């Protein structure tokens, strides 16, 4: 099913659910539960928390169905509810914060040049091949190592597809701060992928 | 230097402002601007300076390509599906909550 067809189906199910059709709401849950669970799991790194957040998310959605005007897609709306629940849970947890300077990035010469450092282009290989299981593990580990504020922004924007405005509304942070953290997170993850592709040539 | 039409690196921006004194971007400047560049949120002048740098800097073009590929790769690596038993519990939970609310 195309994205547009799926959104149209959501709109129809939503209209029926708002009229009190529980089976239509259950169909919406079926269509979006994997994405909501995935977001919660990536954010909290806990299966138990992810399961609870998914329950809380859909219960909140059901309780506020009448308030949802359909300006945004139903999927975006439940994503934001899930992100809010996940962030609330994370803020209550005392997660050890990695220091900002621990984020890796590219190395430059004193004159701000990359020239003395090897840069390889693995982008085509990465796009064309199925994801290597080892690379998948390396990416998961690198994501886990990001400081919490950076992980949140990266996951919400690049993995779950929220807009900068939605992330700002969800986290309470400014858009420039969000963009800055996203850029640093992308650089750190690019570095981890680069290390994976070049480990043989670097003797790792 | 490899061609990358998608990035417009070889396309001269006719009509882009040409300041009297152009400060050349170095690699560090360019990499700091990649997010805005890929979001299409740079001024015409900044984009012009960045493209000028990329035209002459093969490492930065490779860096840009891999930076651009990073989110998609991570999305693939971090995809997850809800386990069946969690899914069943969710349905059960919502049904009981909806029932008690009605």
């Amino acid at each position: 099913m195309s994205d547009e067809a799926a959104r149209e189906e959501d709109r129809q199910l939503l209209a029926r659910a708002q009229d009190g059709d529980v089976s239509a709401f259950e169909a919406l849950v079926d269509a979006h539960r994997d994405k909501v669970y995935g977001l919660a799991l990536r954010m909290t790194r806990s299966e138990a928390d992810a399961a609870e957040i998914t329950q809380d998310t859909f219960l909140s959605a059901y309780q506020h169905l009448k308030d949802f005007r359909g300006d945004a897609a139903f999927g975006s709306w439940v994503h934001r509810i899930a992100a809010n629940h996940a962030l609330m849970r994370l803020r209550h947890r005392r997660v050890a914060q990695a220091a900002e300077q621990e984020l890796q990035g590219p190395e430059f010469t004193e004159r701000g040049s990359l020239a003395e450092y090897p840069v390889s282009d693995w982008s085509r290989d990465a796009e064309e091949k199925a994801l290597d299981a080892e690379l998948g593990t390396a990416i998961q580990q690198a994501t886990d190592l990001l400081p919490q504020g950076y992980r949140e922004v990266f996951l919400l924007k690049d993995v779950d597809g929220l807009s900068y405005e939605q992330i700002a509304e969800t986290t309470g942070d400014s858009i420039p701060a969000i963009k800055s953290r996203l850029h640093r997170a992308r650089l750190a993850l690019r570095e981890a992928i680069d290390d994976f592709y070049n480990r043989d040539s670097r003797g790792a | 230097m490899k061609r990358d039409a998608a990035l417009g690196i070889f396309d001269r921006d006719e009509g882009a402002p040409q300041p009297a004194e152009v400060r050349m971007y170095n690699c560090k400047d360019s990499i700091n601007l990649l997010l805005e560049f890929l979001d299409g949120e740079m001024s015409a002048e900044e984009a012009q300076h960045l493209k000028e740098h990329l035209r002459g800097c093969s490492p930065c073009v490779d860096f840009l390509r891999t930076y651009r590929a990073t989110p998609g790769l991570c999305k693939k690596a971090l995809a997850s599906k809800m386990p069946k038993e969690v899914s069943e519990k969710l349905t059960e939970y919502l049904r009981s909550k909806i029932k008690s609310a009605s």
Side-chain angles (χ1 to χ4, degrees):
Chain A
M1 193 188 300
S2 72
D3 285 353
E4 189 43 50
R7 274 196 294 272
E8 180 52 36
E9 188 169 319
D10 278 359
R11 276 193 286 271
Q12 291 174 12
L13 288 168
L14 179 66
R16 284 170 43 204
Q18 286 176 319
D19 283 341
D21 181 343
V22 174
S23 69
F25 180 71
E26 285 187 2
L28 283 169
V29 173
D30 283 344
H32 295 279
R33 66 170 119 211
D34 281 342
K35 282 186 177 172
V36 166
Y37 178 80
L39 179 150
L41 183 62
R42 285 187 290 271
M43 299 273 289
T44 63
R45 288 171 285 178
S46 154
E47 288 179 6
D49 283 349
E52 282 183 23
I53 288 165
T54 306
Q55 289 182 351
D56 294 345
T57 297
F58 286 113
L59 184 60
S60 297
Y62 184 76
Q63 289 166 337
H64 294 95
L65 262 186
K66 292 270 192 286
D67 307 328
F68 182 58
R69 297 181 180 282
D71 301 334
F74 178 82
S76 303
W77 184 55
V78 289
H79 255 72
R80 284 182 57 198
I81 296 172
N84 272 315
H85 280 294
L87 287 172
M88 274 193 292
R89 196 164 288 242
L90 285 173
R91 305 269 149 98
H92 284 111
R93 250 200 231 164
R94 292 194 173 177
V95 180
Q97 292 290 300
E100 192 170 320
Q101 58 267 30
E102 284 178 26
L103 278 177
Q104 269 197 299
E107 288 186 82
F108 300 101
T109 63
E110 273 182 27
R111 301 178 72 181
S113 170
L114 279 174
E116 289 175 27
Y117 300 99
V119 179
S120 60
D121 178 13
W122 38 257
S123 61
R124 190 173 293 275
D125 182 69
E127 283 162 15
E128 288 174 357
K129 287 185 185 171
L131 188 80
D132 180 291
E134 269 186 81
L135 174 59
T137 304
I139 289 172
Q140 282 172 353
Q141 287 171 344
T143 309
D144 285 350
L145 288 173
L146 291 174
Q148 191 177 312
Y150 292 76
R151 276 185 72 251
E152 285 170 6
V153 167
F154 173 76
L155 293 172
L156 292 174
K157 179 73 176 71
D158 280 348
V159 180
D160 292 297
L162 270 69
S163 67
Y164 291 123
E165 290 75 14
Q166 288 173 328
I167 296 169
E169 227 170 276
T170 305
T171 61
D173 297 322
S174 71
I175 291 179
I178 288 166
K179 286 185 175 182
S180 167
R181 288 209 294 268
L182 175 66
H183 181 59
R184 297 284 310 277
R186 281 183 184 174
L187 289 177
L189 292 167
R190 193 211 76 90
E191 211 64 27
I193 298 167
D194 197 61
D195 285 347
F196 175 87
Y197 275 102
N198 294 302
R199 61 193 170 165
D200 295 334
S201 60
R202 290 174 190 168
Chain B
M1 163 67 79
K2 288 168 273 184
R3 183 180 183 82
D4 197 325
L7 297 176
I9 292 167
F10 288 87
D11 306 332
R12 287 222 168 258
D13 288 343
E14 298 302 330
Q18 297 297 325
E21 199 177 310
V22 174
R23 187 180 77 79
M24 290 297 290
Y25 282 6
N26 62 22
C27 300
K28 198 172 184 176
D29 296 327
S30 303
I31 284 166
N32 281 337
L33 288 168
L34 290 185
L35 183 103
E36 285 89 345
F37 180 61
L38 294 176
D39 282 351
E41 289 180 359
M42 290 173 86
S43 69
E45 193 179 328
E46 278 183 321
Q48 181 73 7
H49 293 338
L50 179 61
K51 286 178 188 177
E52 289 290 347
H53 175 82
L54 292 172
R55 281 190 194 107
C57 183
S58 178
C60 269
V61 173
D62 287 339
F63 193 98
L64 169 50
R65 287 195 181 108
T66 52
Y67 177 93
R68 191 177 48 178
T70 294
L73 258 181
C74 292
K75 194 171 180 170
K76 272 189 214 172
L78 299 169
S80 52
K81 211 167 183 261
M82 187 181 243
K84 194 165 180 278
E85 62 274 17
V86 178
S87 181
E88 285 165 359
K89 273 188 188 165
L90 172 69
T91 305
E92 217 174 283
Y93 171 84
L94 290 172
R95 280 182 183 167
S96 74
K97 289 285 181 184
I98 290 168
K99 197 174 175 183
S100 64
S102 52

